[in-house]
Amino acid sequence: MNARLKNSKGDIIFVIMNTMFLIIVTIIVLYPLIFVLSASFSDPMMVMTGKVRFFPKEPTLQAYKIVFRNEDILTGYKNTFLYTITGTLVNLIMTIAGAYPLSRKDFYGRNVLTLFFTITMFFSGGLIPTYLVIRQLGLYNNFWVMILPGAVSVWNMFIMRAFFQNSIPVELEEAAFIDGCNNIGILFKIVLPLSVPIIAVMVMYYGVGHWNAYFTALIYLKDRRKFPLQLILREILLQNQMAEMTGGETLVSQQLFAESIKYAVIVVASVPVLLLYPFLQKYFVKGVMVGAIKG
Amino acid sequence: MAEVSLDNKIKKQKKSTKVKKAAIRRNWDLYVLITPVVIYFLIFKYWPMYGVQIAFKDFIANKGIWGSPWRGFKHFRRFFRSYHFWPLIRNTVGISVYQLAVGFPIPIIFALMLNEVKNEKFKKSVQTITYAPHFLSTVVLVGMMTAMLSPKNGIVNEFIKLLGKEPIYFMAEANWFKTVYVWSGIWQNTGWNSIIYMAALAGIDPQLYEAAIVDGASKWQRMWNITIPGILPTAITLLILNTGRIMNVGFEKVFLMQNGLNLTSSEVISTYVYKAGLIGAEYSFSAAVGLFNSIINFILLITVNKISRKTTETSLW
């Protein structure tokens, strides 16, 4: 292979151009992230006057001190943790409960049920009818509105089913059955221990979804004490957006406050997810592939 | 003869019902297991579908979905005649088509380029970095855009000023809305969207390449005759799915990027449904708008799927 590369001038030029292009793309993706990180550790005045380019200017932890003293942010953080943990747990239980029976060839009714689930991928009641149903269920401004309406994703359930079908040897299940194990026993003793990769993928997909969600909270939560972090973030990052863009002046102190903590807030809200995902990377690539083969 | 086979058929059926009954009895716990999932879909998916009928009614809260009086196509007519109609369609379709035209080929090109990299470490680093923005929330993304594109102290405008040009109010100018929306999406999702193509590329039989090299095929010939056909089914499947979502410009990001100044190009159907329905409490009218949107989507999906099945033999069903 190497000898061949050396033989062709065109190939060498191609490899160099290709590598350079990828490096440029990577820098374009990375730069805004680094900028945010640097700005969050810089003196607010330096950020406001546009002095921060790459590295932090006049490093300080001031912004983080303000962030971690802010009542709203702390409550939002706590709520988001609760929603994410409870929500992901419910998601996992429901997804497995749906996927496992569907993965069994001797489960009568699986075709009808698959159709029953698939229909919801193409048809939905839409925003307003869903809203009316949720109000009628008494979920409006209720903790569980952040958990229940999105309890299962059909797509994820089908990915999980595909994994159960393709990666767990049927012989193992049959052997356990002959040993007198019932279905639930097989699920817990054999299937789930062999499904760690797909469970990791699901935790990732669902968890990130909960962590980043704001729409459900925006339409169904009224009580500020129940707001997740993303809604608080929206207020801080985007509330004086108009004044910012039109060049109009809000109260100077207020603007300085918002300006100085913007980047720190972004970092605080994104770090948990960004730290977690590289560890799960090898799993979620697998997850996308299972989905791709299936779809 | 015919009678015998009929007899056999009935016997078989009887036998299969017996097997079926035995299996159902044996697997009763699987049915218990799946019951909550079925109930979830009935309540949160099918009940709202049943509620779609309010689009043809005048919804009155204390009469409920069923008790409210029928009004036929009144709300649809009102929507088609309103002066919002064409601007909404234009914005929604405009953003989607722009998004599709740029967002569909770029991940493919990116995956093809990444696939040519032989150094595993470099490849892995590029992947890890380019996947990262996918995990940022929409609120954070739009917050970053607002800050970095600000005409007063945003880093992008600092560079523009450095070049001696006037700063641009990216987030406030209606003309910039689509471009900012689409390219920020490219920044966030190109890496992530390329994963599926990387998977398709990994599935191509390496022997094909070896044979082509032996036959003296150039790099371009190999790409054109092996690589591209190898990922085509994946690409077409995604194209069909995306086309079926043309009228679904995501609410979350548009809503956050929206402000009074860019409204002429940023008001799309989903934000309009939200405002008319939940802020204005015109439940029936906005349910009708939402239904109209879903129907167009579904027609598009079926049409594209049909065209694809005829021309490329790849289809969703």
Side-chain angles (χ1 to χ4, degrees):
Chain A
M1 198 66 191
N2 270 335
R4 190 162 295 280
L5 282 180
K6 270 175 203 141
N7 283 342
S8 161
K9 228 181 201 173
D11 281 1
I12 295 174
I13 292 172
F14 175 83
V15 169
I16 292 172
M17 295 285 281
N18 193 42
T19 311
M20 284 208 346
F21 190 83
L22 285 174
I23 290 172
I24 292 169
V25 169
T26 309
I27 291 171
I28 292 173
V29 173
L30 197 56
Y31 179 72
L33 301 176
I34 290 178
F35 175 80
V36 167
L37 199 62
S38 294
S40 76
F41 286 108
S42 300
D43 185 88
M45 279 316 285
M46 292 288 123
V47 180
M48 278 187 80
T49 48
K51 293 264 165 41
V52 178
R53 290 272 194 274
F54 195 84
F55 292 109
K57 277 267 159 72
E58 299 186 18
T60 159
L61 287 175
Q62 202 192 340
Y64 287 96
K65 280 183 194 143
I66 300 174
V67 166
F68 285 113
R69 248 186 271 131
N70 185 304
E71 224 26 71
D72 279 343
I73 294 176
L74 290 180
T75 317
Y77 223 90
K78 195 194 77 200
N79 289 339
T80 293
F81 255 106
L82 272 178
Y83 295 139
T84 303
I85 290 168
T86 324
T88 309
L89 203 67
V90 171
N91 289 146
L92 268 186
I93 294 171
M94 293 287 277
T95 307
I96 293 168
Y100 183 62
L102 290 181
S103 77
R104 289 272 299 258
K105 291 228 156 52
D106 59 340
F107 180 70
Y108 280 95
R110 64 203 286 256
N111 292 334
V112 179
L113 282 172
T114 303
L115 182 69
F116 172 81
F117 295 134
T118 311
I119 286 173
T120 64
M121 288 173 90
F122 295 101
F123 297 96
S124 82
L127 177 66
I128 305 297
T130 308
Y131 176 83
L132 293 175
V133 165
I134 285 181
R135 286 213 81 137
Q136 208 165 341
L137 289 169
L139 284 175
Y140 189 75
N141 200 24
N142 182 316
F143 173 89
W144 290 99
V145 83
M146 299 297 290
I147 316 289
L148 295 179
V152 192
S153 131
V154 183
W155 186 247
N156 288 347
M157 190 165 77
F158 285 171
I159 290 180
M160 196 135 199
R161 179 188 62 176
F163 184 90
F164 288 157
Q165 274 172 346
N166 302 330
S167 313
I168 314 248
V170 187
E171 296 78 22
L172 271 182
E173 294 180 61
E174 277 165 2
F177 196 78
I178 291 163
D179 287 348
C181 205
N182 63 9
N183 289 310
I184 305 292
I186 294 174
L187 176 62
F188 278 98
K189 283 187 203 136
I190 294 173
V191 177
L192 291 184
L194 289 172
S195 305
V196 174
I198 200 72
I199 291 173
V201 171
M202 291 298 145
V203 167
M204 186 80 209
Y205 283 179
Y206 283 123
V208 172
H210 285 292
W211 187 269
N212 286 341
Y214 89 91
F215 181 58
T216 314
L218 174 77
I219 55 179
Y220 297 121
L221 293 183
K222 275 284 152 294
D223 187 351
R224 276 187 73 83
R225 280 168 308 166
K226 290 180 183 152
F227 278 7
L229 185 60
Q230 299 295 335
L231 269 194
I232 305 293
L233 222 55
R234 171 171 166 254
E235 288 176 4
I236 293 170
L237 294 176
L238 302 166
Q239 69 184 354
N240 52 5
Q241 186 185 348
M242 282 300 290
E244 170 80 16
M245 281 176 313
T246 52
E249 295 299 320
T250 46
L251 281 173
V252 179
S253 60
Q254 191 189 335
Q255 202 183 336
L256 190 71
F257 169 77
E259 202 58 49
S260 64
I261 67 166
K262 246 177 205 175
Y263 295 100
V265 168
I266 291 177
V267 172
V268 166
S270 311
V271 150
V273 177
L274 288 184
L275 281 187
L276 195 67
Y277 106 87
F279 294 102
L280 294 171
Q281 192 173 339
K282 62 173 180 188
Y283 292 131
F284 66 64
V285 171
K286 205 178 276 173
V288 171
M289 280 194 230
V290 174
I293 292 159
K294 193 57 211 151
Chain B
M1 272 296 273
E3 267 172 37
V4 175
S5 80
L6 195 70
D7 208 39
N8 274 343
K9 225 178 183 177
I10 292 170
K11 264 188 193 160
K12 241 186 206 166
Q13 249 171 18
K14 268 188 185 161
K15 202 183 160 200
S16 80
T17 5
K18 245 185 204 161
V19 173
K20 199 165 146 186
K21 272 188 183 157
I24 291 176
R25 213 172 300 132
R26 192 178 62 228
N27 291 333
W28 65 273
D29 45 359
L30 291 182
Y31 293 91
V32 174
L33 193 64
I34 208 169
T35 303
V37 184
V38 173
I39 292 173
Y40 162 81
F41 278 94
L42 284 175
I43 293 179
F44 289 100
K45 303 289 170 183
Y46 282 93
W47 191 3
M49 279 187 222
Y50 163 82
V52 163
Q53 58 179 283
I54 63 164
F56 304 95
K57 290 182 163 182
D58 273 336
F59 180 71
I60 298 162
N62 55 22
K63 284 190 178 168
I65 291 168
W66 185 244
S68 299
W70 290 95
R71 284 289 180 268
F73 287 92
K74 172 184 149 189
H75 302 292
F76 292 89
R77 275 200 298 272
R78 189 185 137 202
F79 178 54
F80 296 149
R81 283 179 195 150
S82 90
Y83 62 91
H84 290 298
F85 182 70
W86 285 112
L88 278 176
I89 301 286
R90 206 180 51 226
N91 289 341
T92 310
V93 174
I95 292 172
S96 273
V97 171
Y98 189 167
Q99 167 92 28
L100 199 60
V102 183
F104 175 66
I106 287 184
I108 300 181
I109 297 170
F110 183 69
L112 288 176
M113 296 185 79
L114 206 54
N115 194 47
E116 293 296 328
V117 175
K118 296 286 177 285
N119 183 332
E120 282 301 318
K121 240 185 197 159
F122 176 63
K123 194 172 174 178
K124 188 94 193 298
S125 321
V126 173
Q127 282 175 306
T128 307
I129 291 168
T130 52
Y131 297 167
H134 175 79
F135 296 96
L136 298 177
S137 75
T138 316
V139 177
V140 163
L141 176 72
V142 178
M144 278 171 68
M145 283 154 63
T146 313
M148 297 181 75
L149 296 174
S150 153
K152 252 194 317 190
N153 51 26
I155 186 84
V156 174
N157 272 309
E158 290 297 316
F159 280 120
I160 291 177
K161 278 185 231 168
L162 221 60
L163 298 172
K165 299 226 170 79
E166 282 292 300
I168 300 169
Y169 291 16
F170 289 103
M171 299 295 279
E173 271 179 32
N175 291 336
W176 275 99
F177 182 81
K178 278 193 200 106
T179 301
V180 172
Y181 178 88
V182 169
W183 287 95
S184 58
I186 298 287
W187 177 79
Q188 188 177 24
N189 290 318
T190 294
W192 182 260
N193 290 342
S194 72
I195 295 179
I196 194 161
Y197 294 110
M198 293 301 286
L201 286 168
I204 298 176
D205 186 355
Q207 285 183 336
L208 288 175
Y209 289 105
E210 283 158 24
I213 291 171
V214 171
D215 288 348
S218 73
K219 213 174 187 80
W220 291 113
Q221 283 171 325
R222 274 177 270 151
M223 186 171 268
W224 191 248
N225 293 309
I226 301 172
T227 315
I228 303 278
I231 59 169
L232 204 60
T234 310
I236 289 172
T237 308
L238 287 180
L239 187 64
I240 298 171
L241 282 173
N242 287 333
T243 315
R245 304 168 50 87
I246 278 234
M247 302 285 280
N248 276 8
V249 173
F251 171 90
E252 295 211 348
K253 195 165 146 198
V254 174
F255 182 69
L256 291 174
M257 286 176 65
Q258 226 172 37
N259 54 58
L261 297 168
N262 62 22
L263 211 55
T264 49
S265 51
S266 68
E267 189 80 296
V268 295
I269 293 181
S270 58
T271 55
Y272 183 70
V273 168
Y274 169 77
K275 284 177 195 164
L278 296 189
I279 310 288
E282 295 187 79
Y283 294 132
S284 283
F285 173 65
S286 52
V289 178
L291 181 58
F292 162 76
N293 196 20
S294 312
I295 290 170
I296 300 284
N297 266 335
F298 196 66
I299 293 172
L300 279 172
L301 183 72
I302 288 176
T303 315
V304 178
N305 192 51
K306 208 166 209 169
I307 294 172
S308 163
R309 194 165 46 194
K310 282 217 172 115
T311 54
T312 65
E313 288 170 2
T314 305
S315 65
L316 293 183
W317 60 82

